[in-house]
Amino acid sequence: LDAGDGAALAQLLDPLHPADIADILEHLDRKPRAALVRLYGAGFDGEILSELDESLREDVVGAMAPEVLAEAVRDLESDDVVDLIEDLETPQQEAILDALTAGDRVAVEQSLTYPEETAGRLMQREMVVAPEHWNVGQAIDHMRAHADLPDQFYHVIIVDPRMRPTGYVTLGRIMSHSRSTRLADLVDDSFRTIRASQDEEEVAYAFNHYHLISAPVVDADDRLVGVITIDDAMAILDEEHEEDILRLAGVGESRLLDGVFVTMKRRLPWLVVNLGTAALAALVIAQFEDTIAALVVLAVLMPIVATLGGNAGTQSLTVTVRGLATRDLTAANAWRVIRREAMVGVVNGLVLAVPLGLVTALIFGTFGIGAVIAAALVINLIVAALAGVMIPIVLEKLGVDPALASGTFVTTVTDVVGFFAFLGLAATVLI
Amino acid sequence: LDAGDGAALAQLLDPLHPADIADILEHLDRKPRAALVRLYGAGFDGEILSELDESLREDVVGAMAPEVLAEAVRDLESDDVVDLIEDLETPQQEAILDALTAGDRVAVEQSLTYPEETAGRLMQREMVVAPEHWNVGQAIDHMRAHADLPDQFYHVIIVDPRMRPTGYVTLGRIMSHSRSTRLADLVDDSFRTIRASQDEEEVAYAFNHYHLISAPVVDADDRLVGVITIDDAMAILDEEHEEDILRLAGVGESRLLDGVFVTMKRRLPWLVVNLGTAALAALVIAQFEDTIAALVVLAVLMPIVATLGGNAGTQSLTVTVRGLATRDLTAANAWRVIRREAMVGVVNGLVLAVPLGLVTALIFGTFGIGAVIAAALVINLIVAALAGVMIPIVLEKLGVDPALASGTFVTTVTDVVGFFAFLGLAATVLI
């Protein structure tokens, strides 16, 4: 790379999969990355851009010569182009759109009219369609006659005269039947359509739940507008999981490759919220300053009750958030799960409280303090279990992503209840 | 159901997708579930069993009449049978194996010889294979002649005379070329094989990374033994994510439908570990009992430093664990990420510490306590950032799943450092 030897570079990179070349680009610093992109030049495959982390795409597109960029995007399927340009700045978007053929450009622009994160953005326009009355032979002849079939397709979609999909036939079934078999007789019973306006999370769920391989996308009039394939659904499933896991930790949309400033900006808001909830907990403790002054050991023990409550709450919370995300937790079984969590809170509370109370009583030589910490722990674990399961359910009902906000609420509840129960009981019983 | 009207039940259930029937079974209590299974009887499709949550399968299989069970499993692909029986008790396994044809039984038993959670368990044995010298016409005739093609297949796998796969051709490309085209000329460049002994997590990663649709599985001698399709890889990806998210919360393998006792057993160990780490933190506080006795307000403020550190640590930790899971974080960029985290810790520490210090100083009317809490917070956020990124990296190097153990380590570090820094500084500066 330092020697500027383009031929040697091409020889190195050409045998690699675009996803691996994208990985290499992601590992490089900004300057050598731009140098590599310029040097690789004409060999640069459009799929490398698709594979690249979104945070770097703008950079890399900026480093590419316009004619290289045009060449690179021309071979992409329409859904990949949409995915590529939806996050770019307007001048870069224009450059890419200009590079497309008129037909592709229309397809991409139509997809962009659908809101972000909907099926309309995910679908590709390239598909194979057959009228209801065709037989296997006609379908095969039709495919042979068209050199520009999609790179990947798994079904022939059957449509009625008004372009409404009525079923689809897997290529495997077409292959294995005689030319005279009617397509309508081979229709796959896994067939379901997806609305272009549907949220992409629901699309991923449907693919995973019903084991779909591809699904036709229809507009508000039930007319066929595109097709979504399982590889895109898998990528969305991966993204949604990532989002959930990061949101649960209060990290928003963090990416491993973000710079210091972006990372800081994404994490700070949640820490500020947390500063507020920690101040609330401090306020509760402040009410008991006299109690603590009279018995300093309370300050030593109080974090134990709060911490265990926080962890137990996080356990219920995580199971609940997952249950909501996978649709296993519904109105029909919510009460069963809430009852179960409450029981677990009681049992775990007792199991932990008895030894904790005994050891505390032994260390400090009085029965009272042991009883107080044990009782406070049981109370806090029950509250933690209930908060952990009910807060996400309520947030979901209110239309807020439970992964995003539940954690703060739950630990605030367990901190406040933990300190209040422990210090309050101590103030009443011990002093 | 109460009326025992089997015909009406069948009429209700038959139009539903097996995945939806499995959902209904999951929502029922044990007794009505068994009643439904018995009443549905002969209509019971094997795929319902595959879709069912693992924790309920044993129950449902137990409720099925032997001949219904035999009928139900006979139509499943070999990978679904393997998935179904690997968690069952031996007598139930035998019952299912006995119901299979001799050929299927051998296939299933061979798959079961591979260790759990490897590619060998995931693969199906049903596949379409062609020798290297065939052309499109021969492949199509071969498929037409075989009525027992797999339900779903997307590639014809090309093998050399020793049954080693050398490439594959998508059905779409076979369709769109003339009968005389050699298969070898249509080979798809996404082709890669998977070893039967490979971990299923790596398989899911490869499918997601390289956008594979199906991949041939080879044994230690590179001979073709099966094929894995993307829908199975997607299910594994889903499971691995689930595992990570639950492990990060210290919930192990929890399922939403587990009973109280099972749930308790799965959550208690982590709470016990946490009791130990909380006791450690209490021990640190105990060293400063005299300091707290002299200045009780320290007890009020100390949880703020510890809590914020815990949350900042969880943020770095989660990003790091995800980076390791997606292989975006490697030895090549680990130092860059560690430096970035440390910088973010410094910056977020300062941004939060200045207002916190000022407000504290104002409320208590002395500059000293404000300076102490601000300094302790900066120290703890830097330590949190470093612990959050370095602990999972070290655990991964040691071969421990970082999702499983990192959380406890990181919050222990931030609690101990938080209390020690705040109380230690206070003892030195203020008293």
Side-chain angles (χ1 to χ4, degrees), chain A residues 364-375:
Chain A
F364 297 99
T366 74
F367 176 75
I369 186 122
V372 166
I373 199 170

Side-chain angles (χ1 to χ4, degrees), chain B residues 68-260:
Chain B
V68 173
L69 180 63
E71 186 57 44
V73 297
R74 211 165 287 148
D75 286 334
L76 289 176
E77 305 274 314
S78 62
D79 57 334
D80 292 328
V81 178
V82 170
D83 178 52
L84 181 60
I85 74 176
E86 63 185 1
D87 299 312
L88 294 177
E89 303 290 326
T90 315
Q92 293 190 331
Q93 286 192 347
E94 284 300 326
I96 290 178
L97 286 174
D98 286 342
L100 299 174
T101 64
D104 286 344
R105 184 179 175 134
V106 170
V108 169
E109 284 176 338
Q110 273 179 5
S111 280
L112 285 173
T113 61
Y114 293 101
E116 271 186 55
E117 312 209 331
T118 60
R121 290 283 182 110
L122 281 183
M123 68 190 183
Q124 60 181 53
R125 317 289 289 214
E126 296 84 358
M127 50 195 167
V128 179
V129 174
E132 290 168 302
H133 57 81
W134 274 14
N135 61 29
V136 167
Q138 286 170 300
I140 292 182
D141 293 342
H142 170 78
M143 286 186 261
R144 289 245 171 86
H146 285 78
D148 62 339
L149 292 177
D151 282 350
Q152 299 198 317
F153 69 107
Y154 316 103
H155 290 104
V156 172
I157 302 166
I158 301 178
V159 292
D160 71 8
R162 296 182 50 201
M163 272 301 274
R164 289 181 303 209
T166 58
Y168 57 25
V169 183
T170 65
L171 295 184
R173 298 195 96 177
I174 291 183
M175 289 286 185
S176 55
H177 287 80
S178 69
R179 289 182 61 92
S180 60
T181 317
R182 276 167 46 95
L183 290 182
D185 297 332
L186 300 179
V187 162
D188 199 283
D189 60 6
S190 74
F191 175 75
R192 41 199 73 223
T193 58
I194 284 176
R195 291 201 169 275
S197 57
Q198 238 174 310
D199 190 87
E200 60 179 19
E201 191 179 348
E202 285 173 44
V203 174
Y205 172 77
F207 269 80
N208 198 21
H209 188 69
Y210 296 115
H211 303 288
L212 303 177
I213 295 297
S214 77
V217 180
V218 296
D219 64 13
D221 300 324
D222 283 332
R223 259 184 276 256
L224 182 67
V225 288
V227 64
I228 296 179
T229 50
I230 185 175
D231 52 323
D232 296 317
M234 188 169 178
I236 296 298
L237 187 77
D238 198 40
E239 275 174 34
E240 293 290 335
H241 274 293
E242 176 99 12
E243 198 179 275
D244 271 4
I245 216 167
L246 292 177
R247 282 184 170 181
L248 275 171
V251 203
E253 269 191 48
S254 231
R255 283 164 191 286
L256 193 70
L257 306 165
D258 284 337
V260 172

Side-chain angles (χ1 to χ4, degrees), chain A residues 254-258, chain B residues 319-320 323-324 328-330 333 337 340:
Chain A
S254 233
R255 285 165 188 286
L256 193 70
L257 306 166
D258 285 335
Chain B
V319 172
T320 307
L324 291 170
D328 289 328
L329 179 59
T330 58
N333 61 3
V337 173
R340 199 264 318 260

